[in-house]
Amino acid sequence: MIIRLIGGKPMLGQTDTTWRGAFEDVDAYDLDDDAARARILSADGLVIGGGVDHLLLGKHREALTGFVRAGGRVLVNGQVVKPFIDGLAVWRKLEFRGAQDVRPHPVSPHPVWAGIDYRDLHYRTGVPGTHSYERLEEIGVAGFYGRGYHLDLPEGATVVTGIGQYRLPLDYSYRIGSGEVLVHGGNDLESFSDDQYSTRVLGPNLVQWLENGECTAAEPASAPAPAAVGPRSSAVSRKEGSAAPRIGLLHCGTFQPLRTLADPALAPYRMESVYLPDADPAVLADLDVVIVSDRLHQGQLARFVPAILEALSDPGKTVIVLGENKVEQWLPGVGYSFRPTVFWMWRTGEDNGTRLRLPEDPMWEFLTPWSVSWHHHGLLHPRPGARSLVVMEEDGAESGTLLYVDEVNQSARLLVTTMDPVYHHGSGFMPGASQLLYSLLRWVTATHAPRA
């Protein structure tokens, strides 16, 4: 049995294949339950998805390390911000200017990568055969596989894949006791197993490697007390009468918001961490700006929905809700229509139907076309009176909204979008996403009216 710990919807390849049946997806928060944790740690192998809460995993560091020491094998996906298994190295962002700067290169053989053409890892558009390798190189469509590297590798580590001309460590493996940890510093490795590419063997290779561990099912460690976990909502103090808004970022401890909160470029906004698994929903009452980060764990978000709706009744607040949060299930009167994501239009220049509206709206003092035209995750259908600033046009007709501002249907200012800027800014990928995040922070800071 292979257990894949997930924080939400896992990334998958382009085609369903039988090897996926070897994975059992388990909510990572089940680690907090003694019986569930014991079952997880009795698996043949573990896959840790890139969307899992690092603060949660850190609480179970001793248990996860013990699983490996007893002979288990673990694949760690994503950008490690806070090590949660002994020996894990922290991910570092790579400054790159072109496709060759992020090109992956084989460094040492590993059975998971056996039989793979590394060009299929490097040039990945999401639509096989759309462009030739030469054309993809010309327009710079690359970097989906990895955009960073690791230093301070554990003793005895083997670099499997290097990135860029200097072959900096992107993928590496190391042993603890009788087991092995395999680290992929990018989007979930199993998502690259596509039938249309040589990477079709990656999924079966991964399953075989994970199943061939020698785990002896060591006694799982108990979870520490919850009070020891990660940051609670920040207690940033402000001078009496300060005009600067108090901004809170709601998140679930994944690497993207953790890296966003630590970004020196955003320090002037003094964003406060509201770590949902550990915070009291009442903290929203003291915030001027509530930012609901994108791609939140739905179970954790549900606990905060009443407080978010209460915030919408406060005329002194601004509420920003970012993409992939199933707003149609909890925001009053908002509809949603699924549309597939065009990941590379910001590079290829193809028209994905994005259109800008209301050019005289004051929001355009802060937004730019580049900041709202990279990609999206479906269409919104807001309540009457909302101002749709970015919309989708299909077959010559407007079919839905990608970003809107609503100042009439509730007391607070509300901005909702299906774009996911925190996810991409924290991933160090997609400049337009970073611009959107900067723009929203400038907007709420410049237009905030201090409470009387």
Side-chain angles (χ1 to χ4, degrees), residues 61 65 83 85-90 152-155 172 174 176:
R61 177 170 177 159
T65 301
I85 296 175
D86 290 359
L88 281 179
V90 173
D152 303 320
L153 298 184
E155 184 177 357
Y172 67 96
Y174 66 100
I176 301 177

Side-chain angles (χ1 to χ4, degrees), residues 345-385:
M345 58 81 57
W346 62 284
R347 279 291 195 185
T348 63
E350 60 192 288
D351 182 5
N352 73 340
T354 299
R355 301 290 184 265
L356 312 185
R357 295 288 187 259
L358 306 178
E360 302 303 320
D361 193 278
M363 272 296 297
W364 290 114
E365 296 178 19
F366 303 95
L367 299 175
T368 66
W370 179 246
S371 71
V372 295
S373 301
W374 31 284
H375 79 221
H376 60 84
H377 293 270
L379 310 180
L380 299 167
H381 308 289
R383 291 194 281 183

Side-chain angles (χ1 to χ4, degrees), residues 78-119:
Q79 302 171 7
V80 173
V81 176
K82 296 181 179 295
F84 45 82
I85 296 175
D86 290 359
L88 281 179
V90 173
W91 183 92
R92 298 167 185 256
K93 181 180 178 181
L94 179 68
E95 298 300 327
F96 56 92
R97 298 183 180 276
Q100 290 307 309
D101 294 335
V102 291
R103 185 183 186 115
H105 301 271
V107 176
S108 300
H110 191 283
V112 172
W113 283 263
I116 291 175
D117 183 340
Y118 269 64
R119 293 181 302 175

Side-chain angles (χ1 to χ4, degrees), residues 28-200:
Y29 289 104
D30 285 358
L31 283 167
D32 281 339
D33 177 83
D34 290 345
R37 183 171 62 256
R39 180 176 178 275
I40 291 167
L41 298 178
S42 68
D44 297 314
L46 296 178
V47 174
I48 297 177
V52 172
D53 182 339
H54 282 201
L55 303 180
L56 166 79
L57 294 173
K59 184 170 65 171
H60 298 282
R61 177 170 177 159
E62 182 180 349
L64 293 170
T65 301
F67 172 83
V68 181
R69 194 178 305 281
R73 290 179 172 179
V74 179
L75 167 64
V76 174
N77 287 304
Q79 302 171 7
V80 173
V81 176
K82 296 181 179 295
F84 45 82
I85 296 175
D86 290 359
L88 281 179
V90 173
W91 183 92
R92 298 167 185 256
K93 181 180 178 181
L94 179 68
E95 298 300 327
F96 56 92
R97 298 183 180 276
Q100 290 307 309
D101 294 335
V102 291
R103 185 183 186 115
H105 301 271
V107 176
S108 300
H110 191 283
V112 172
W113 283 263
I116 291 175
D117 183 340
Y118 269 64
R119 293 181 302 175
D120 291 336
L121 297 174
H122 184 42
Y123 299 111
R124 186 172 187 265
T125 65
V127 183
T130 304
H131 302 285
S132 66
Y133 286 133
E134 291 74 19
R135 174 57 178 156
L136 294 172
E137 174 71 28
E138 177 186 343
I139 59 182
V141 173
F144 217 67
Y145 184 73
R147 302 175 295 277
Y149 61 99
H150 303 90
L151 290 182
D152 303 320
L153 298 184
E155 184 177 357
T158 298
V159 178
V160 177
T161 305
I163 189 170
Q165 60 177 325
Y166 299 111
R167 272 59 166 181
L168 298 173
L170 170 59
D171 301 327
Y172 67 96
S173 68
Y174 66 100
R175 299 192 68 83
I176 301 177
S178 302
E180 185 177 354
V181 180
L182 180 62
V183 181
H184 168 59
N187 291 338
D188 289 3
L189 185 63
E190 59 270 27
S191 72
F192 291 89
S193 187
D194 292 340
D195 284 352
Q196 299 93 333
Y197 298 98
S198 67
T199 54
R200 68 180 66 88

Side-chain angles (χ1 to χ4, degrees), residues 52 83 92 139 145 176 187 206 212 250 280 300 307 314 318 341:
V52 172
R92 298 167 185 256
I139 59 182
Y145 184 73
I176 301 177
N187 291 338
L206 177 61
N212 285 343
L250 278 60
D280 184 339
Q300 298 296 334
D314 185 339
T318 297
T341 301

